[in-house]
């Protein structure tokens, strides 16, 4: 159903090699990252609008995305303008529901499992709420994270929970709370690519 909703191919992700940084540069980058994570977590209510592409190794597609987060409460809407179809995932830490699929609304405790069982897509919704803002997900839940930085000393990659998240572009500012504009997340054949057209609710210092 979602394959028909999205109805488009997902280009292959090409990873750029990461630079070799000096210990001093790594120390500066880690300090900036700590400041960045503190800034975004101080704003638990936010939203983004953009475009998303997903693939499970056999098929893939893309559409518009509207993500609204209010602390633990989230609402993620995906739509395909050409087919005029859409679905909506909403929930919190204890429950989730998926609307817009044939057969009616489906509910479950784990949004990632709910999406996988209902659509075949592997999308780590709970962790993505942190990753999309350039921050590590809760390590007590998703395990330890490994960070890598680019020549500009901004976050270039997170490896966590079996996923690799590559950051291709950031807002054009030097402020600590600048947010990602393009990222690619991958675990095995599962891929999620996000292009953000607009952010709301996270202000630069």
């Amino acid at each position: 159903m979602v394959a028909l909703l999205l109805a488009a191919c997902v280009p292959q992700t090409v990873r750029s090699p990461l630079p070799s940084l000096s210990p001093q540069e790594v120390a500066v980058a880690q300090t900036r990252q700590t400041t960045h994570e503190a800034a975004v977590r101080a704003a638990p209510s936010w939203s983004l609008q953009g475009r998303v592409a997903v693939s499970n190794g056999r098929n893939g597609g893309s559409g518009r995305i509207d993500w609204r987060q209010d602390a633990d409460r989230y609402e993620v809407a995906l739509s395909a303008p050409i087919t005029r179809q859409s679905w909506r995932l909403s929930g919190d830490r204890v429950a989730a529901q998926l609307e817009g699929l044939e057969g009616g609304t489906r509910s479950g405790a784990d949004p990632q499992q709910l999406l996988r069982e209902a659509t075949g897509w592997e999308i780590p919704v709970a962790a993505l709420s942190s990753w999309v803002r350039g921050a590590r997900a809760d390590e007590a839940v998703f395990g330890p994270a490994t960070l890598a930085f680019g020549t500009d000393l901004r976050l270039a990659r997170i490896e966590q929970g079996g996923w690799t998240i590559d950051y291709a572009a950031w807002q054009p500012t030097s402020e600590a709370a600048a947010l990602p504009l393009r990222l690619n997340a991958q675990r095995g054949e599962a891929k999620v690519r996000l292009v953000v057209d607009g952010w709301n609710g996270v202000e630069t210092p």
Side-chain angles (χ1 to χ4, degrees), residues 71-89:
D72 293 335
R73 184 75 188 171
Y74 57 85
E75 181 178 309
V76 184
L78 180 67
S79 62
I82 295 177
T83 61
R84 296 185 179 179
Q85 293 178 304
S86 64
W87 57 258
R88 185 170 69 98
L89 177 71

Side-chain angles (χ1 to χ4, degrees), residues 54-205:
V54 294
S55 173
N56 60 13
R58 296 179 300 277
N59 50 58
S62 59
R64 298 290 307 176
I65 186 170
D66 189 325
W67 188 322
R68 299 180 184 278
Q69 188 90 20
D70 185 8
D72 293 335
R73 184 75 188 171
Y74 57 85
E75 181 178 309
V76 184
L78 180 67
S79 62
I82 295 177
T83 61
R84 296 185 179 179
Q85 293 178 304
S86 64
W87 57 258
R88 185 170 69 98
L89 177 71
S90 59
D92 52 30
R93 282 185 176 267
V94 297
Q97 64 177 18
L98 182 61
E99 303 170 76
L101 296 179
E102 186 176 355
T105 300
R106 304 189 189 189
S107 301
D110 183 339
Q112 182 171 335
Q113 181 178 348
L114 179 63
L115 279 171
R116 182 172 59 248
E117 293 176 349
T119 70
W121 301 115
E122 189 79 26
I123 303 176
V125 177
L128 269 177
S129 65
S130 294
W131 294 340
V132 295
R133 296 185 293 161
R136 288 165 285 192
D138 186 349
E139 293 187 337
V141 177
F142 300 101
T146 300
L147 309 182
F149 305 93
T151 55
D152 58 358
L153 305 187
R154 285 203 179 280
L155 182 65
R157 179 176 296 168
I158 294 178
E159 295 180 6
Q160 187 175 23
W163 287 85
T164 298
I165 304 90
D166 287 297
Y167 295 87
W170 290 75
Q171 290 173 324
T173 175
S174 61
E175 297 290 353
L179 294 166
L181 296 178
R182 295 203 309 273
L183 63 88
N184 300 293
Q186 180 174 351
R187 185 175 72 176
E189 294 184 330
K191 299 177 182 178
V192 181
R193 185 182 65 180
L194 177 67
V195 178
V196 180
D197 295 323
W199 281 101
N200 295 289
V202 180
E203 302 294 337
T204 54

